[in-house]
Amino acid sequence: MAERLVTFETDGDLGIVTLRRPEKFNALDIPMLRALEAALDAAEAADSVRVVLLLGEGKGFCSGGDVEAWSQMSAADFQVQWVRYGHRVFDRLARLRQPTVAVLSGHVLGGGLELAVACDFRVAEAQVKLGFPETSIGVVPGWSGTQRAVRRFGAQTVRRMAIGGETFVAAEALALGIVDRVVDTGKAFIEAKAWAGKISERGPLATQAAKLMIAVAESEESAAATEALASGFIALTGDLKAGVDAFKAKQKPAFSRS
């Protein structure tokens, strides 16, 4: 991340991931996606971080995928290097162990909206517009705009954006459940940070477990989440220690059901 395209920093028990390409309204290209993935890995590894904020530097949150970055790709490269890799990074965000809040201080369109959708919560400033304009230039949402967004907001809302071409102002998006809170211009970060602070006061393990259970309910990551929850429970029992100790001693374990 030599160019600091995406940064991760901590503020107490909050983690802050910032997209830093303001001259392009934080449009995503391959280097940006790689930097975002690295920043999310850092957030995941930060034991002290209980909530993660995602924001964009400058006047926008994220204007989506950089057309110049993908328009010259071959069909094969577009599928693998762009769409599938972007999915991997966005899934990384959606499956971050900590709750996440997107700070929407500028228009949130296309891939930018897909990025916001991958967060648990969204705080939008009143002037923000949201939508999926991809079909207007002959492409389709490729980073879960027709999948995760449908699961979270409903098919008809996504139809109106992706097929009907509608964009919604923040107040309309609030009524449709696309964003969770709307604030005055310039106040999104303050509101998101305050909300994150309240979330961080809750039991961290319970909060992370609740996030996993909700992910199972909306088919976000059923297999991994189920195994993570079960493994976490087992790790708290005496069975794990008994089994590991016996393995190291090359003996048969004596499980106590404790």
Side-chain angles (χ1 to χ4, degrees), residues 156-223:
Q156 195 60 26
T157 294
V158 176
R159 281 192 187 97
R160 290 175 64 182
M161 293 187 286
I163 300 174
E166 291 187 60
T167 58
F168 300 117
V169 296
E172 295 171 321
L174 178 65
L176 291 166
I178 302 172
V179 302
D180 301 287
R181 297 187 181 184
V182 176
V183 296
D184 293 338
T185 300
K187 298 297 179 66
F189 180 73
I190 296 171
E191 176 68 18
K193 187 175 180 181
W195 192 6
K198 292 180 180 179
I199 294 172
S200 70
E201 294 173 355
R202 308 178 76 84
L205 294 179
T207 299
Q208 291 174 31
K211 176 172 176 171
L212 272 174
M213 290 189 291
I214 293 167
V216 172
E218 64 177 7
S219 301
E220 179 63 60
E221 51 169 340
S222 296

Side-chain angles (χ1 to χ4, degrees), residues 78-79 82-88 90-91 110-111 114 132 134 139-148:
F78 181 69
Q79 178 190 42
W82 187 257
V83 176
R84 294 188 66 179
Y85 180 57
H87 254 278
R88 189 178 92 184
F90 282 34
D91 288 348
E114 290 169 310
F132 289 128
E134 286 90 341
V139 294
V140 294
W143 288 335
S144 74
T146 62
Q147 304 300 309
R148 182 177 291 117

Side-chain angles (χ1 to χ4, degrees), residues 21 25 31 80 174 198 250:
R21 201 185 180 201
F25 296 98
V80 176
L174 178 65
K198 292 180 180 179
K250 297 182 179 180

